[in-house]
Amino acid sequence: MKENKILIRQLFDRKSFAYTYLVADTHAGLALLIDPVSEKLSNYIELLAELKLQLRYAVDTHCHADHITALGQLRDITGCETLAGEPSEMTCVDRFFRDRDILQLGSIALRAIYTPGHTDDSYSLFLESEQSIVFTGDTLLIRGTGRTDFQNGSSEALYDSLFDKLLKLPDNTIVFPGHDYQGLKQSTILEERKSNPRLQVKSWQELNDLLGQLKLASPKLMDIAIPANKQCGKTSLPGSGLNFLTEKPI
Ligand SMILES: [Fe+2]
């Protein structure tokens, strides 16, 4: 049987309910991390060593408000390239990608899909293969979506990102979200189209009404997390490297 070259690991930070993804081409020995969390840094380094993988890229799907990114620390330790999507205010990154840009990792091609709405710098990453996979950040969650009430969020943009972009992907595409609060790990485009309550709307105004009814509190320390993440996770606060939020931010 032919060995599968694509390795994917879903890693969880239980304080922020955030998922981080390790994607690797095991033949090439190359890996990338999507949405790494500062507090989990040592876990990533250990896992990369165990799997004998060189970290080529560390990528944030958007500037996070609920946890501190590990991008800067990973770059310092591994020499990896750090990336975020335009128009991110994460000016610390080595490179910005745009809609349809390809992130090449050995034989693996990840296509950036600009999916604004949760924030204006939100991207999804699409891996087209025998079994297509999309990493949706906070744009599309399992039976949910990201909120749109800060960081230049827009329910209108989110509606377009969901209906014009993500739901146009093949039905059997696996959805790997940026968070889950119920312990669900993955879904598919078809399953979300049928069962996600926020995808049963007919207009962006309906989606906006649904999101408005949630009356979500702001992430407690977003005023710290966002400025820190604009510097790839560097913060001058005591106890930095912190990952301090235990509430549901989405
Ligand atoms: Fe977010």
Side-chain angles (χ1 to χ4, degrees):
M1 200 169 79
K2 201 176 153 201
E3 188 194 347
N4 192 352
K5 283 191 291 190
I6 302 175
L7 177 142
I8 293 173
R9 288 284 182 277
Q10 184 179 42
L11 311 167
F12 186 56
D13 174 44
R14 60 193 165 91
K15 288 191 183 167
S16 59
F17 296 86
Y19 285 126
T20 298
Y21 297 93
L22 176 85
V23 179
D25 176 336
T26 55
H27 283 187
L30 297 173
L32 64 81
L33 281 165
I34 300 171
D35 290 332
V37 175
S38 172
E39 219 178 52
K40 296 288 181 184
L41 180 68
S42 57
N43 299 61
Y44 308 142
I45 300 298
E46 201 176 306
L47 184 59
L48 288 162
E50 283 169 359
L51 298 175
K52 297 188 172 40
L53 294 168
Q54 180 198 339
L55 188 66
R56 177 60 60 86
Y57 305 114
V59 187
D60 270 353
T61 54
H62 62 292
C63 186
H64 298 283
D66 64 304
H67 65 262
I68 303 272
T69 179
L71 255 59
Q73 293 163 303
L74 285 166
R75 176 171 52 192
D76 289 348
I77 293 171
T78 70
C80 71
E81 192 177 7
T82 52
L83 296 108
E86 276 192 357
S88 174
E89 291 182 31
M90 295 176 68
T91 50
C92 55
V93 295
D94 299 305
R95 186 153 58 98
F96 292 105
F97 49 82
R98 296 184 187 144
D99 190 43
R100 299 177 192 217
D101 278 358
I102 300 290
L103 200 53
Q104 195 72 39
L105 182 78
S107 62
I108 298 173
L110 277 175
R111 177 158 53 87
I113 307 175
Y114 184 41
T115 50
H118 169 58
T119 66
D120 64 354
D121 68 343
S122 286
Y123 278 76
S124 300
L125 295 167
F126 181 60
L127 195 166
E128 193 167 12
S129 68
E130 279 170 46
Q131 172 58 70
S132 298
I133 294 167
V134 65
F135 302 93
T136 53
D138 294 355
T139 301
L140 175 61
L141 305 174
I142 299 176
R143 311 300 191 261
T145 65
R147 63 197 293 175
T148 59
D149 54 340
F150 55 72
Q151 289 182 279
N152 297 324
S154 157
S155 297
E156 188 170 3
L158 181 63
Y159 181 88
D160 290 344
S161 294
L162 293 167
F163 286 90
D164 292 346
K165 294 187 173 175
L166 294 180
L167 291 189
K168 297 261 166 83
L169 296 174
D171 279 354
N172 68 345
T173 302
I174 291 175
V175 172
F176 276 132
H179 291 275
D180 191 80
Y181 303 99
Q182 275 79 44
L184 299 172
K185 295 180 174 174
Q186 66 185 63
S187 183
T188 65
I189 289 294
L190 178 64
E191 195 179 314
E192 289 312 303
R193 183 189 292 116
K194 284 184 171 170
S195 303
N196 188 324
R198 295 187 205 171
L199 298 180
Q200 310 311 311
V201 295
K202 295 275 184 298
S203 66
W204 74 262
Q205 290 91 342
E206 265 186 62
L207 176 62
N208 194 47
D209 289 346
L210 272 184
L211 292 168
Q213 287 162 17
L214 299 174
K215 303 208 182 335
L216 296 166
S218 291
K220 268 184 202 153
L221 295 177
M222 65 183 277
D223 294 339
I224 295 167
I226 293 173
N229 287 336
K230 286 179 185 174
Q231 299 179 69
C232 287
K234 295 220 162 73
T235 166
S236 54
L237 283 180
S240 57
L242 40 129
N243 179 338
F244 31 66
L245 299 180
T246 54
E247 64 179 327
K248 296 180 179 181
I250 300 301

